[in-house]
Amino acid sequence: MESQPPFEQIADIPAAEMDWHLARALLDWQVEMGVDECIAEGPVDRFAVEAERVAAQAAAPAVARGGAAPAEPRAEIDAVEVARQAAQGADSLEALRAALAAYEHCELKRGARSLVFADGNPKARVMILGEAPGRDEDREGRPFVGRAGQLLDRMLAAIGLSRDAEEPEEAVYITNVLPWRPPQNRDPKPQEIAMLRPFVQKHVALAKPDLLILMGNISCQAALDRRGILKMRGQWAEAFGRPALPMTHPAYLLRQPLAKREAWADLLSLKARLEDL
Ligand code: URA
């Protein structure tokens, strides 16, 4: 995943280019530098504030001041269960997209510009499960449109597949485990993967691909509950009831070009499996 510029440079970014992630990073940086208070538009009379606080405390009933009162039971929300029910209720890809858009329990949603749902041909025999949108994907609202995505398109073209193809035999359908960009492109937390997994599972069930490609560790974690992509790549497994091939992520291949040799072997394995079926 790509990283943001050093914090010292963030402050120089013009206001028009400041988005939620940059603003959040700048705030974190200021806190690290020791800033512990916001400066308001006008002066605050701290003596009056304190006097008001003391008066309010004196006037409040004992219970509100920490006296013995039976604690109200707090209703805990099970975000994974809410996701499961929302995903279960979706009977089409459009309904699934709407269910994701309405899901309010993932913090990532607040910082993202777009819901990145899917791209390509939903009738394709091959479905690719990536990790999470980056900056380019967040801007465009489509998965795999940045540098890694362009490499992915070239890799697929080498075995006659394309996200733009109309024929299911030549097409791919692409989605991600996370539909929202994580701040600073950080790795998703296990809880975030767990709450979005029911949507991924339903996505696969609705698209009904013959084969799944699991791009990278996050996808393997979501689909197989395992990590260790460098060991797992190239070995067919089963995920969501379908044959699934873990592959190294194109972003990794951009950093480690020598690994392209193994990725090519994996692509040939995919092609052979498609011909066998
Ligand atoms: N990497 C991914 O895993 N998915 C994207 O959509 C873009 C980059």
Coordinates of all heavy atoms in Angstrom, one line a residue, residues 4 17-25 101 103-116 133-139 178-186 189 192 196:
Q4 N 1.5 8.2 2.7 CA 1.3 9.6 2.5 C 2.7 10.3 2.6 O 3.6 9.8 3.0 CB 0.4 10.1 3.7 CG -1.0 9.5 3.6 CD -1.8 10.1 2.5 OE1 -1.4 11.0 1.8 NE2 -2.9 9.5 2.3
E17 N -6.9 20.7 -1.8 CA -6.5 19.3 -1.9 C -6.6 18.5 -0.6 O -6.3 17.3 -0.5 CB -5.0 19.2 -2.4 CG -5.0 19.4 -3.9 CD -3.5 19.5 -4.4 OE1 -2.7 18.6 -3.9 OE2 -3.2 20.4 -5.2
M18 N -6.9 19.2 0.4 CA -7.0 18.6 1.8 C -8.2 17.7 1.9 O -9.3 18.2 1.6 CB -7.0 19.7 2.8 CG -7.1 19.2 4.3 SD -5.5 18.5 4.8 CE -4.6 20.0 5.1
D19 N -8.0 16.4 2.1 CA -9.2 15.5 2.2 C -9.2 15.0 3.7 O -8.3 15.4 4.5 CB -9.2 14.4 1.2 CG -8.0 13.5 1.4 OD1 -7.2 13.6 2.4 OD2 -7.7 12.6 0.5
W20 N -10.1 14.1 4.0 CA -10.3 13.6 5.4 C -9.0 13.0 5.9 O -8.6 13.2 7.0 CB -11.5 12.6 5.4 CG -11.9 12.2 6.8 CD1 -12.9 12.8 7.5 CD2 -11.3 11.1 7.5 NE1 -13.0 12.1 8.7 CE2 -12.1 11.1 8.8 CE3 -10.3 10.2 7.3 CZ2 -11.8 10.1 9.7 CZ3 -10.1 9.3 8.3 CH2 -10.8 9.2 9.5
H21 N -8.4 12.2 5.0 CA -7.2 11.4 5.5 C -6.0 12.4 5.8 O -5.4 12.2 6.8 CB -6.7 10.5 4.4 CG -7.7 9.5 4.0 ND1 -8.2 8.5 4.9 CD2 -8.5 9.3 2.9 CE1 -9.1 7.8 4.3 NE2 -9.3 8.2 3.1
L22 N -5.8 13.4 5.0 CA -4.8 14.3 5.2 C -5.1 15.2 6.4 O -4.2 15.4 7.2 CB -4.6 15.2 4.0 CG -3.9 14.5 2.8 CD1 -3.9 15.4 1.6 CD2 -2.5 14.0 3.1
A23 N -6.3 15.6 6.6 CA -6.7 16.4 7.7 C -6.4 15.6 9.0 O -5.9 16.1 10.0 CB -8.1 16.9 7.6
R24 N -6.8 14.3 9.0 CA -6.6 13.5 10.1 C -5.2 13.3 10.5 O -4.7 13.4 11.6 CB -7.3 12.1 9.8 CG -7.2 11.1 10.9 CD -7.9 11.4 12.1 NE -7.5 10.7 13.2 CZ -8.1 9.6 13.7 NH1 -9.2 9.2 13.2 NH2 -7.6 8.9 14.7
A25 N -4.3 13.1 9.4 CA -2.9 12.9 9.6 C -2.3 14.2 10.2 O -1.4 14.1 11.1 CB -2.2 12.6 8.3
A101 N -23.8 0.3 1.3 CA -23.9 1.8 1.4 C -24.7 2.2 2.7 O -24.4 3.2 3.2 CB -24.6 2.4 0.1
Y103 N -24.7 0.4 5.4 CA -24.0 -0.2 6.6 C -23.2 0.9 7.4 O -22.3 1.6 6.8 CB -23.1 -1.3 6.2 CG -22.5 -2.1 7.3 CD1 -23.3 -2.9 8.2 CD2 -21.1 -2.0 7.6 CE1 -22.7 -3.6 9.2 CE2 -20.5 -2.7 8.6 CZ -21.3 -3.4 9.4 OH -20.7 -4.1 10.5
E104 N -23.5 1.1 8.6 CA -22.9 2.3 9.3 C -21.9 1.9 10.4 O -21.6 2.7 11.2 CB -24.1 3.1 10.0 CG -25.0 3.8 9.0 CD -24.4 4.8 8.1 OE1 -23.2 5.3 8.5 OE2 -24.9 5.2 7.1
H105 N -21.5 0.6 10.5 CA -20.7 0.2 11.6 C -19.2 0.1 11.3 O -18.4 -0.3 12.1 CB -21.2 -1.1 12.2 CG -22.7 -1.0 12.6 ND1 -23.0 -0.3 13.7 CD2 -23.8 -1.4 11.9 CE1 -24.4 -0.4 13.8 NE2 -24.8 -1.0 12.7
C106 N -18.8 0.5 10.1 CA -17.4 0.4 9.8 C -16.8 1.9 9.7 O -17.3 2.7 8.9 CB -17.2 -0.3 8.4 SG -15.4 -0.5 8.1
E107 N -15.9 2.1 10.6 CA -15.3 3.4 10.8 C -14.7 3.9 9.4 O -14.7 5.1 9.2 CB -14.2 3.3 11.8 CG -13.4 4.5 12.1 CD -14.2 5.6 13.0 OE1 -15.4 5.3 13.3 OE2 -13.7 6.6 13.2
L108 N -14.2 3.0 8.6 CA -13.5 3.4 7.4 C -14.4 4.2 6.5 O -14.0 5.1 5.7 CB -13.1 2.1 6.6 CG -12.1 1.2 7.3 CD1 -11.8 0.0 6.5 CD2 -10.8 2.0 7.6
K109 N -15.7 3.9 6.5 CA -16.7 4.6 5.7 C -16.6 6.2 5.8 O -16.7 6.9 4.9 CB -18.1 4.1 6.0 CG -19.2 4.7 5.1 CD -20.5 4.1 5.5 CE -21.6 4.6 4.7 NZ -22.9 4.1 5.1
R110 N -16.4 6.6 7.1 CA -16.4 8.0 7.4 C -15.3 8.8 6.6 O -15.4 9.9 6.3 CB -16.3 8.2 8.9 CG -17.5 7.8 9.6 CD -17.4 8.2 11.1 NE -16.9 9.5 11.3 CZ -15.9 9.8 12.0 NH1 -15.2 8.8 12.6 NH2 -15.5 11.0 12.2
G111 N -14.2 8.1 6.4 CA -13.0 8.8 5.8 C -12.9 8.6 4.3 O -12.0 9.2 3.7
A112 N -13.8 7.8 3.8 CA -13.6 7.5 2.3 C -14.5 8.4 1.5 O -15.6 8.8 1.9 CB -14.0 6.0 2.1
R113 N -14.0 8.7 0.3 CA -14.9 9.5 -0.6 C -15.9 8.6 -1.3 O -17.0 9.0 -1.6 CB -14.0 10.1 -1.8 CG -13.1 11.1 -1.3 CD -12.4 11.7 -2.5 NE -11.3 12.5 -2.0 CZ -10.6 13.3 -2.8 NH1 -10.8 13.4 -4.0 NH2 -9.6 14.0 -2.2
S114 N -15.5 7.4 -1.6 CA -16.4 6.5 -2.4 C -16.6 5.2 -1.8 O -15.7 4.7 -1.1 CB -15.8 6.2 -3.8 OG -15.2 7.3 -4.4
L115 N -17.7 4.6 -2.1 CA -17.9 3.1 -1.9 C -17.4 2.4 -3.2 O -18.0 2.6 -4.3 CB -19.4 2.8 -1.7 CG -19.8 1.4 -1.8 CD1 -19.3 0.6 -0.5 CD2 -21.3 1.2 -1.9
V116 N -16.3 1.7 -3.1 CA -15.8 1.0 -4.2 C -16.3 -0.4 -4.2 O -15.9 -1.3 -3.4 CB -14.2 1.0 -4.1 CG1 -13.6 0.3 -5.3 CG2 -13.7 2.4 -4.1
P133 N -9.4 -0.4 -1.6 CA -9.1 0.7 -2.5 C -8.0 1.6 -2.0 O -7.8 1.7 -0.8 CB -10.4 1.6 -2.5 CG -11.4 0.7 -1.8 CD -10.7 -0.3 -0.9
G134 N -7.2 2.1 -2.9 CA -6.2 3.1 -2.6 C -6.7 4.5 -3.0 O -7.9 4.6 -3.2
R135 N -5.8 5.4 -3.0 CA -6.2 6.8 -3.3 C -6.9 6.9 -4.7 O -8.0 7.5 -4.8 CB -5.0 7.7 -3.3 CG -5.4 9.2 -3.4 CD -4.2 10.1 -3.5 NE -3.3 9.5 -4.5 CZ -2.0 9.8 -4.6 NH1 -1.4 10.6 -3.7 NH2 -1.2 9.3 -5.5
D136 N -6.3 6.3 -5.7 CA -6.9 6.4 -7.1 C -8.3 5.7 -7.1 O -9.2 6.3 -7.7 CB -6.0 5.7 -8.1 CG -4.7 6.4 -8.2 OD1 -4.7 7.7 -8.0 OD2 -3.7 5.8 -8.4
E137 N -8.4 4.6 -6.5 CA -9.7 3.9 -6.5 C -10.8 4.7 -5.7 O -11.9 4.7 -6.1 CB -9.5 2.5 -5.9 CG -8.7 1.5 -6.7 CD -7.2 1.7 -6.7 OE1 -6.7 2.4 -5.7 OE2 -6.5 1.2 -7.6
D138 N -10.3 5.3 -4.6 CA -11.2 6.1 -3.8 C -11.8 7.3 -4.6 O -12.9 7.6 -4.5 CB -10.5 6.6 -2.5 CG -11.4 7.3 -1.6 OD1 -12.6 6.8 -1.4 OD2 -11.0 8.3 -1.0
R139 N -10.9 7.8 -5.4 CA -11.3 9.0 -6.2 C -12.2 8.6 -7.3 O -13.2 9.2 -7.6 CB -10.0 9.6 -6.9 CG -9.2 10.4 -6.0 CD -8.6 11.6 -6.7 NE -7.9 12.4 -5.7 CZ -6.6 12.6 -5.7 NH1 -5.8 12.1 -6.6 NH2 -6.1 13.3 -4.8
L178 N -12.4 -4.8 1.3 CA -12.9 -3.6 1.9 C -13.4 -2.7 0.8 O -12.7 -2.4 -0.1 CB -11.8 -2.9 2.7 CG -11.0 -3.6 3.7 CD1 -10.1 -2.6 4.4 CD2 -11.9 -4.2 4.8
P179 N -14.6 -2.2 0.9 CA -15.1 -1.3 -0.1 C -14.7 0.2 0.2 O -15.0 1.0 -0.7 CB -16.6 -1.4 0.0 CG -16.9 -1.8 1.4 CD -15.7 -2.5 1.9
W180 N -14.1 0.5 1.3 CA -13.7 1.8 1.6 C -12.2 1.9 1.9 O -11.6 1.0 2.5 CB -14.4 2.3 2.9 CG -15.9 2.4 2.8 CD1 -16.6 3.2 2.0 CD2 -16.9 1.5 3.4 NE1 -17.9 3.0 2.1 CE2 -18.1 1.9 3.0 CE3 -16.8 0.5 4.3 CZ2 -19.3 1.3 3.4 CZ3 -18.0 -0.2 4.7 CH2 -19.2 0.3 4.3
R181 N -11.6 3.0 1.4 CA -10.1 3.2 1.6 C -9.8 3.4 3.0 O -10.3 4.3 3.7 CB -9.7 4.4 0.8 CG -8.2 4.6 0.9 CD -7.9 6.0 0.4 NE -6.4 6.2 0.4 CZ -5.8 7.3 0.4 NH1 -6.5 8.4 0.2 NH2 -4.5 7.4 0.4
P182 N -8.8 2.6 3.6 CA -8.3 2.8 4.9 C -7.5 4.0 5.0 O -6.7 4.3 4.0 CB -7.5 1.5 5.2 CG -7.8 0.6 4.2 CD -8.2 1.3 3.0
P183 N -7.5 4.8 6.1 CA -6.7 6.0 6.2 C -5.2 5.7 6.0 O -4.8 4.7 6.6 CB -7.0 6.6 7.6 CG -7.8 5.5 8.3 CD -8.3 4.5 7.3
Q184 N -4.6 6.5 5.3 CA -3.1 6.4 5.1 C -2.8 5.0 4.4 O -1.7 4.5 4.5 CB -2.3 6.4 6.4 CG -2.7 7.6 7.3 CD -2.3 8.9 6.7 OE1 -1.1 9.1 6.3 NE2 -3.2 9.8 6.7
N185 N -3.8 4.4 3.8 CA -3.7 3.0 3.2 C -3.1 2.0 4.3 O -2.4 1.1 3.9 CB -2.7 3.1 2.0 CG -3.3 3.8 0.9 OD1 -4.5 4.1 0.9 ND2 -2.5 4.1 -0.1
R186 N -3.5 2.2 5.5 CA -3.0 1.3 6.5 C -3.7 -0.1 6.3 O -4.7 -0.2 5.6 CB -3.4 1.8 7.9 CG -4.9 1.9 8.2 CD -5.1 1.7 9.7 NE -6.5 2.1 10.1 CZ -7.6 1.3 10.0 NH1 -7.4 0.1 9.4 NH2 -8.8 1.7 10.3
K189 N -8.0 -3.6 10.1 CA -7.9 -4.3 11.4 C -8.7 -5.6 11.2 O -9.7 -5.7 10.4 CB -8.6 -3.4 12.4 CG -7.8 -2.1 12.6 CD -8.6 -1.2 13.6 CE -7.9 0.1 13.6 NZ -8.7 1.1 14.2
E192 N -12.4 -5.2 11.2 CA -12.9 -4.6 9.9 C -13.1 -5.7 8.9 O -14.1 -5.8 8.2 CB -12.0 -3.5 9.4 CG -12.1 -2.2 10.3 CD -10.9 -1.3 10.1 OE1 -9.9 -1.7 9.4 OE2 -10.9 -0.2 10.6
L196 N -16.8 -7.1 7.3 CA -17.1 -7.0 5.9 C -17.1 -8.3 5.2 O -17.6 -8.4 4.0 CB -16.1 -6.0 5.2 CG -16.3 -4.6 5.7 CD1 -15.1 -3.7 5.4 CD2 -17.6 -4.0 5.1

